[in-house]
Amino acid sequence: MKNLSGYNRKKIFVTRKLPEAAMKILESKAFDVNVWTKETPPPKKVIIEKVKNVNGLICLLTEKIDEEVINAAGEQLRGIFQVAVGYDNINVDVATKKGIYVTNTPGVLTETTADFAFTLLMATARRIAEADRCVKTGKWKIPWGLMMLLGQDIWGKTIGIIGLGRIGGAVARRAKGMNMKIVYYDVYRNENLEKELGAKYVDLETLLRESDFVTVHVPLMPSTYHLINEERLKMMKKTSCLINTSRGPVIDEKALYKALKEEWIWAAGLDVWENEPTDLNNPLLTLDNITVAPHIASASYATRTKMAVMAVENLIATFEGRIPPNLVNKEVLKK
Ligand code: GLV
């Protein structure tokens, strides 16, 4: 790595306006900060122009920082500071080869994201979105219907957690509070959580066959792309719900549509999509047995501020010549 010390007048490009607390910290330092103020992400050609000239890039998961973008970066680009825990939008290998730091924002969003995953699970099981539509559109005609909007019980049921990392573990603790039996699948075993929560490590097929709720908490990478496909959806119980708050491409949406339409599974709750924003013509949106959200699992006032502050702190550490606390590509230090 070249000498990174001294942040005076370092040029920073921020691809979206950050919460005020994070902007204040940035502005309190002597950076030359340029913020893309539109609500939509900057076009790729703007990012390419910027990386040729700036020293630091603060970006969101919507920005594709791929090989082309990183190869366009000049020698002066020291770091890419992502405001998110997932960083599948960044080609980390290419950044590492060029000696560029990549950082993310783990930990601060764990509980908020787990809150939302569990909210979506409960909303899906108890048909909250349909119930809301029913009342608001005047479809509620009978005062109390014995068979109206029947859902699935959650208390005491089996939850299958795919990916028992920080967020998966936080979901498991919520499930424990609902007296659920917890099974999980991961590439690593988490014996501490097995002891703490009585979680049982199983293979993926067993998890899919035994769970009443399947919730996905893996990062997107080649091995998790379409992890939930037609074959695996067919393994799930007819009464089960599938919840995804990780990354859209982990589930094959075409297969999920068939599974919901033909009732191989009972319902799904999706916060993340193969393409975001998802197209209004996405056939999944025509179904009643899916509860949907626009990728908001970490979206609480406090957490989004913490994420932005964390990205700024990673940037400041970099330009003060320290190792940023949330460095993703530690191999870069060997350069
Ligand atoms: C949000 O999806 C994140 O990765 O932080």
Side-chain angles (χ1 to χ4, degrees):
M1 254 352 263
K2 292 169 209 87
N3 177 21
L4 299 176
S5 60
Y7 51 73
N8 279 355
R9 303 317 291 165
K10 291 288 184 217
K11 287 189 178 168
I12 311 300
F13 181 54
V14 190
T15 62
R16 224 74 60 76
K17 215 163 158 264
L18 301 178
E20 209 181 317
M23 287 311 299
K24 277 204 175 129
I25 301 173
L26 257 187
E27 283 154 11
S28 72
K29 304 285 178 182
F31 293 121
D32 175 358
V33 182
N34 176 221
V35 182
W36 180 262
T37 48
K38 295 194 182 137
E39 285 204 11
T40 48
K44 191 168 181 181
K45 66 175 193 306
V46 170
I47 303 180
I48 288 183
E49 274 318 301
K50 294 292 179 189
V51 295
K52 286 181 185 160
N53 299 304
V54 299
N55 306 102
L57 175 70
I58 297 184
C59 60
L60 308 191
L61 55 87
T62 39
E63 281 75 78
K64 233 182 161 23
I65 314 295
D66 58 13
E67 188 163 6
E68 187 189 357
V69 172
I70 298 173
N71 279 337
E75 285 275 292
Q76 81 301 326
L77 185 71
R78 299 295 186 227
I80 300 166
F81 307 97
Q82 165 102 330
V83 189
V85 65
Y87 49 87
D88 48 275
N89 56 313
I90 303 173
N91 190 327
V92 178
D93 290 344
V94 180
T96 307
K97 277 191 200 120
K98 289 198 70 159
I100 299 168
Y101 285 172
V102 177
T103 67
N104 68 340
T105 62
V108 288
L109 47 72
T110 299
E111 300 302 340
T112 305
T113 305
D115 279 351
F116 188 85
F118 217 82
T119 301
L120 189 56
L121 180 154
M122 295 182 83
T124 303
R126 298 303 305 272
R127 304 172 66 173
I128 296 296
E130 268 183 282
D132 180 89
R133 288 195 294 273
C134 164
V135 178
K136 287 183 182 163
T137 60
K139 282 193 195 136
W140 185 22
K141 304 281 188 213
I142 317 157
W144 190 82
L146 193 59
M147 303 303 276
M148 190 165 83
L149 283 169
L150 302 183
Q152 302 292 346
D153 282 323
I154 302 158
W155 181 264
K157 294 289 180 172
T158 298
I159 188 168
I161 302 178
I162 303 179
L164 199 71
R166 276 181 294 260
I167 297 171
V171 169
R173 290 197 180 89
R174 284 155 180 76
K176 181 78 181 163
M178 291 294 285
N179 192 33
M180 295 178 95
K181 181 178 163 210
I182 303 164
V183 296
Y184 78 99
Y185 169 72
D186 199 312
V187 283
Y188 303 108
R189 272 187 81 159
N190 187 335
E191 286 175 21
N192 289 338
L193 272 189
E194 286 179 29
K195 276 194 208 106
E196 181 190 330
L197 304 173
K200 191 169 139 214
Y201 184 72
V202 292
D203 60 42
L204 185 53
E205 181 168 344
T206 306
L207 181 147
L208 294 167
R209 292 196 189 284
E210 288 185 0
S211 301
D212 300 298
F213 297 92
V214 172
T215 181
V216 184
H217 302 284
V218 292
L220 176 62
M221 44 190 167
S223 59
T224 59
Y225 177 79
H226 283 189
L227 181 73
I228 305 297
N229 55 16
E230 190 164 323
E231 185 192 347
R232 292 192 170 125
L233 285 160
K234 281 186 174 150
M235 293 173 183
M236 291 175 63
K237 291 186 184 178
K238 271 187 168 306
T239 50
S240 67
C241 299
L242 174 65
I243 309 299
N244 191 11
T245 51
S246 64
R247 285 293 183 267
V250 174
I251 296 181
D252 176 350
E253 280 182 12
K254 284 203 177 83
L256 178 62
Y257 175 77
K258 272 208 228 162
L260 290 169
K261 180 92 185 154
E262 295 170 16
E263 298 178 7
W264 312 343
I265 68 173
W266 187 77
L270 291 194
D271 181 44
V272 287
W273 301 83
E274 289 213 56
N275 292 301
E276 296 182 1
T278 198
D279 198 289
L280 252 192
N281 294 323
N282 184 337
L284 283 170
L285 303 183
T286 63
L287 302 174
D288 270 334
N289 55 346
I290 183 165
T291 302
V292 298
H295 202 153
I296 55 165
S298 66
S300 75
Y301 291 106
T303 291
R304 287 285 164 87
T305 295
K306 285 184 200 157
M307 290 162 67
V309 167
M310 197 172 208
V312 168
E313 281 167 353
N314 281 312
L315 176 140
I316 291 172
T318 299
F319 292 114
E320 287 182 349
R322 291 180 282 119
I323 297 173
N326 310 106
L327 186 63
V328 161
N329 54 343
K330 301 225 166 32
E331 319 82 78
V332 81
L333 299 172
K334 296 188 203 127
K335 295 233 155 212

